Amino acid sequence: MASQLRLRFALALVTGAGSGIGRAVGVRLAAEGATVAACDLDGAAARETVRLLGGPGSDEGAPRGAHAAFQADVSEAGAVRRLLDQVQACFSRPPSVVVSCAGITRDEFLLHMSEDDWDKVIAVNLKGIFLVTQAAAQALVSSGCPGSIINISSIVGKVGNVGQTNYAASKAGVVGLTQTAARELGRHGIRCNSVLPGFIKTPMTQKVPQKVLDKVTGMIPMGHMGDPEDVADVVAFLASEDSGYITGASVEVTGGLFM
Ligand SMILES: NC(=O)c1ccc[n+]([C@@H]2O[C@H](COP(=O)([O-])OP(=O)(O)OC[C@H]3O[C@@H](n4cnc5c(N)ncnc54)[C@H](O)[C@@H]3O)[C@@H](O)[C@H]2O)c1
């Protein structure tokens, strides 16, 4: 739980905010005082997150100071541009904290993976983060505001995972993209960091067969899968000035898996 309102001046845009890690991030940032713009491909899920934060859950914007929900597909350049425009119109400023949690899996062994499954995962997990990071950074630089951009990668991007060539490649790409953005944007006062979760209990991992989860859990030094809130704790730290001299970092939240 948040012990202080470290983010009381922050406007936080969270993508993938309708489920799992993104929803937990929205809840945590709001608990630390941030105003949250919750975005998801599933607009109803984003509105439900805003309802959990105590906001009106409106697609059309928010009353002054309130949280708001937005529907957007992060893999579409036009949709991401519209999203940033809508958020700025709604709150009269660009988001100072941007957390990209939107992500998908389309698992298959390399020998059988279709081009479509490759393209979809790269489009959402990697191109989506490029589009959101670029649009948010452009808005911050043109308004002269500092910011913190946090991109959710995965430990799988570092070590690979059977059946996930597409996903592992996308998540490794997120780390390289984020480090490069950190190098380019530091002089504008914009920090960029990635978070590498291990195996976290969300709808995404509910699709993994139980015997695979049991095997992985047996390899985790902490002895159990993580909760979305474990990731949200780290995101809140990276969003806040408590991490003011950290940029280009990749923080693992894995319970020690693959250390
Ligand atoms: N759960 C884990 O163990 C785990 C581990 C490492 C990394 N991650 C990453 O964390 C992030 C969140 O994962 P999760 O476990 O909470 O998954 P989730 O499936 O619970 O949530 C993902 C959310 O992203 C949204 N989304 C999907 N495609 C989108 C698009 N094109 N545009 C906008 N929103 C879109 C979905 O509607 C959903 O609400 C993902 O990037 C995932 O790869 C998860």
Side-chain angles (χ1 to χ4, degrees):
M1 264 313 282
S3 55
Q4 49 192 325
L5 296 178
R6 290 186 293 189
L7 300 172
R8 62 190 178 282
F9 302 117
L11 170 60
L13 171 61
V14 183
T15 75
S19 178
I21 291 170
R23 177 169 283 171
V25 165
V27 168
R28 175 60 191 260
L29 298 185
E32 296 230 21
T35 301
V36 175
C39 162
D40 204 283
L41 182 63
D42 181 342
R47 288 194 294 279
E48 176 59 17
T49 296
V50 168
R51 202 189 56 75
L52 291 172
L53 307 181
S58 152
D59 257 342
E60 287 84 43
R64 209 175 160 72
H67 311 293
F70 299 86
Q71 191 279 332
D73 179 347
V74 297
S75 67
E76 297 284 336
V80 171
R81 269 196 304 274
R82 272 194 304 280
L83 170 68
L84 265 293
D85 287 348
Q86 285 172 337
V87 169
Q88 289 202 84
C90 182
F91 297 100
S92 308
R93 57 177 169 141
S96 55
V97 172
V98 179
V99 191
S100 278
C101 301
I104 59 168
T105 53
R106 294 277 188 281
D107 295 352
E108 183 52 276
F109 294 117
L110 170 67
L111 294 179
H112 306 295
M113 183 169 289
S114 68
E115 186 180 353
D116 190 51
D117 281 348
W118 172 271
D119 286 346
K120 279 209 171 90
V121 167
I122 299 295
V124 177
N125 296 8
L126 183 55
K127 183 181 168 190
I129 284 194
F130 158 68
L131 291 172
V132 172
T133 300
Q134 184 189 50
Q138 286 169 340
L140 284 168
V141 169
S142 57
S143 64
C145 298
S148 174
I149 296 175
I150 300 148
N151 293 327
I152 306 298
S153 172
S154 167
I155 195 66
V156 163
K158 193 174 150 188
V159 301
N161 196 26
V162 170
Q164 293 197 310
T165 41
N166 51 0
Y167 185 80
S170 72
K171 294 301 185 179
V174 167
V175 171
L177 181 159
T178 306
Q179 288 171 328
T180 304
R183 287 182 186 274
E184 294 184 12
L185 299 173
R187 68 195 177 93
H188 296 287
I190 302 170
R191 298 184 296 111
C192 304
N193 294 289
S194 25
V195 176
L196 280 58
F199 281 76
I200 310 296
K201 285 178 242 155
T202 71
M204 183 176 276
T205 45
Q206 273 164 18
K207 290 187 270 177
V208 178
Q210 190 56 46
K211 73 171 195 217
V212 175
L213 291 180
D214 290 345
K215 195 173 159 205
V216 171
T217 304
M219 294 161 61
I220 301 173
M222 297 285 289
H224 58 88
M225 288 175 66
D227 292 313
E229 291 74 19
D230 294 322
V231 181
D233 287 346
V234 174
V235 169
F237 166 70
L238 290 172
S240 78
E241 271 308 301
D242 286 352
S243 61
Y245 198 53
I246 297 179
T247 195
S250 309
V251 184
E252 297 177 15
V253 187
T254 62
L257 181 67
F258 302 131
M259 70 176 99

